[in-house]
Amino acid sequence: MTTKLLLLAAFPVLALPFVHPFGPVRQEHSSAPLPGDAAVTALLERACQNCHSERTEWPRYSYLPLVSWALEKDVAEARQNMNFSHWDQYSVDDKKDLLARIGTEVRNHQMPLPRYLMLHPEARLSDADIQVIYEWTKAERRALRNTRE
Ligand code: HEC
């Protein structure tokens, strides 16, 4: 009897990792390459792709109850704001807008999210890295200014 009750009480907790209030973010996969030339793509892969693309690598700790929700929420929000896996599908205006935002966020050290860097030191960008990304956003915006949709 007590065992049954215990099992009953434990069930909701055990089921937590199978509940995904922020949608099926873990099921979305894409092998589409991230934008940029080789140097920029490498930086975006290292510092942004886990949140802003469908090439997320989910670490073991991401399956812990509650932690999993916090991370799925970040990834869902990040992809809503900007999803590198669908870069080609953005309009010219959207791309220009996103490029401007990328430059600002990176230069102000707002992205990658500081709390992410605690667990992912490999995603930290040096000043030189930031400059490479910023120069790329400027060059891309210049190129897009001459593009008609
Ligand atoms: C830990 C996950 C995570 C990582 C890694 C990350 N981002 Fe974000 N990003 C978010 C979330 C969540 C939002 C939406 C909420 C916000 O703006 O803080 C966001 C928003 C953005 C926005 C839109 C901001 C706005 O207000 O317009 C841009 C641009 C952006 N990120 C760029 C980047 C770039 C570039 C990188 C890599 C250098 C990066 N992010 C890395 C989670 C992440």
Side-chain angles (χ1 to χ4, degrees), residues 64-81:
L64 295 172
L66 302 179
V67 172
S68 83
W69 289 355
L71 299 185
E72 288 174 21
K73 180 172 186 282
D74 273 352
V75 173
E77 270 181 26
R79 289 183 191 163
Q80 254 161 34
N81 275 266

Side-chain angles (χ1 to χ4, degrees), residues 47-48 51-52 74 77-78 81-82 101-102 105-106 111-113 116 125:
C48 322
C51 297
H52 287 284
D74 273 352
E77 270 181 26
N81 275 266
M82 176 178 68
R101 284 167 196 261
I102 293 171
E105 297 283 321
V106 169
M111 288 289 154
L113 282 183
Y116 176 77
L125 297 173

Side-chain angles (χ1 to χ4, degrees), residues 14-64:
L14 294 176
L16 279 181
F18 303 101
V19 179
H20 302 283
F22 303 99
V25 277
R26 286 180 199 259
Q27 267 94 64
E28 293 164 349
H29 287 292
S30 165
S31 52
L34 271 53
D37 57 26
V40 169
T41 306
L43 290 174
L44 301 182
E45 283 176 357
R46 177 156 70 75
C48 322
Q49 98 172 347
N50 261 350
C51 297
H52 287 284
S53 83
E54 290 163 22
R55 305 176 62 152
T56 311
E57 280 172 25
W58 298 93
R60 285 226 188 121
Y61 68 78
S62 80
Y63 292 91
L64 295 172

Side-chain angles (χ1 to χ4, degrees), residues 82-137:
M82 176 178 68
N83 189 336
F84 282 132
S85 295
H86 297 285
W87 186 254
D88 288 343
Q89 287 144 39
Y90 285 123
S91 69
V92 169
D93 279 346
D94 283 349
K95 280 187 193 153
K96 282 197 271 193
D97 179 52
L98 287 171
L99 286 163
R101 284 167 196 261
I102 293 171
T104 313
E105 297 283 321
V106 169
R107 272 159 33 108
N108 292 335
H109 300 273
Q110 282 164 338
M111 288 289 154
L113 282 183
R115 62 173 184 271
Y116 176 77
L117 293 176
M118 290 190 294
L119 288 166
H120 294 267
E122 77 284 355
R124 200 171 287 282
L125 297 173
S126 69
D127 289 346
D129 296 338
I130 291 172
Q131 197 58 25
V132 169
I133 295 179
Y134 178 55
E135 293 297 336
W136 169 72
T137 63

